[in-house]
Amino acid sequence: MPSMTDEQAETIADVTVAEEVDDAAGETLETVETLETVEAVETEQVGVKPTGRRWVVPVAAGVCAALAASTGYLGWQVWQQHQLQQASQEAQRAAVSYAQVLTSIDSDKVDENFKEVIDGATGEFKDMYSESSVELRQLLIENKATARGVVVESAVQEASKNKAVVLLFVDQSVSNTQLPDPRIDRSRMKMTLEKVDGAWRASKVELP
């Protein structure tokens, strides 16, 4: 086998070194491209996420504020409805009680009966009843009149926190010197009540 000359050996060495340099350069370029790709992805992700967070925080805060406002308004409505319902029930009970006071009388206790009626009245009705009580008192005593009223049905026609109109059906048992045997009178009553000093009082009584 012929031996390799020095010139051939140098040529082979130069080619080998060039290939190694090319390989190294290729690896370096690939590494750089990879780093650039990673950096681009990270930059894109970093650019998107903070933007998302900046929108999420105000939106979440707005939703919470809206929910709080809605809850507060609903709570206020429920409370107002509760107060109105309570006032309506109180006015109805007061009307039933007062109607029975108004339609019950005992000639032996006229002054006591009148005091109860006047204490449960206010405004126009109180003034009217007070003015007529002197004449009415005398008639009741002379005729030995007695009466007892019982509310058989009642309903609230309208109501607010301080005023109500109540409809009542009353059975009244009446007797006097001209009518010794009790007679049942059935009547319909429309009573307007107003809340005065924390108590429901009749300001108007109608017999429609």
Side-chain angles (χ1 to χ4, degrees):
M1 175 179 294
S3 61
M4 182 182 301
T5 64
D6 291 340
E7 185 177 351
Q8 290 175 331
E10 288 179 1
T11 300
I12 292 173
D14 290 340
V15 171
T16 302
V17 171
E19 289 177 351
E20 289 179 354
V21 170
D22 289 341
D23 290 342
E27 290 178 0
T28 301
L29 181 59
E30 183 179 354
T31 301
V32 170
E33 290 175 349
T34 301
L35 289 174
E36 288 178 348
T37 301
V38 171
E39 184 178 356
V41 171
E42 289 179 348
T43 301
E44 182 180 358
Q45 291 177 343
V46 170
V48 170
K49 288 184 179 179
T51 302
R53 291 194 186 103
R54 282 196 296 271
W55 279 102
V56 167
V57 172
V59 169
V63 170
C64 290
L67 287 174
S70 177
T71 302
Y73 178 70
L74 289 175
W76 179 82
Q77 279 191 316
V78 169
W79 174 244
Q80 290 293 314
Q81 186 62 32
H82 170 72
Q83 286 189 311
L84 184 59
Q85 183 178 6
Q86 186 176 15
S88 177
Q89 292 173 349
E90 289 176 356
Q92 185 175 10
R93 286 194 295 267
V96 169
S97 179
Y98 189 69
Q100 293 179 165
V101 168
L102 190 61
T103 56
S104 298
I105 194 73
D106 185 344
S107 58
D108 294 330
K109 300 178 180 179
V110 172
D111 293 335
E112 184 179 333
N113 294 150
F114 279 8
K115 184 179 184 305
E116 288 180 339
V117 172
I118 292 173
D119 286 346
T122 188
E124 176 187 341
F125 182 70
K126 184 175 183 178
D127 294 340
M128 182 190 71
Y129 195 89
S130 297
E131 290 173 3
S132 62
S133 62
V134 176
E135 184 179 351
L136 181 60
R137 178 182 182 278
Q138 190 62 33
L139 287 172
L140 291 171
I141 293 174
E142 288 177 358
N143 289 280
K144 295 183 180 180
T146 60
R148 177 176 176 78
V150 177
V151 176
V152 295
E153 192 65 59
S154 67
V156 177
Q157 186 179 53
E158 57 183 86
S160 64
K161 288 189 220 178
N162 298 308
K163 189 173 182 178
V165 177
V166 182
L167 303 177
L168 308 110
F169 291 91
V170 182
D171 281 356
Q172 186 183 35
S173 174
V174 180
S175 65
N176 52 49
T177 54
Q178 303 297 322
L179 189 67
D181 295 328
R183 181 189 68 194
I184 301 296
D185 289 338
R186 293 182 174 174
S187 58
R188 188 162 62 103
M189 186 180 296
K190 182 177 181 180
M191 187 182 299
T192 302
L193 301 99
E194 297 179 18
K195 198 167 189 179
V196 180
D197 297 330
W200 288 95
R201 293 184 169 89
S203 61
K204 189 174 184 180
V205 177
E206 304 170 84
L207 298 174

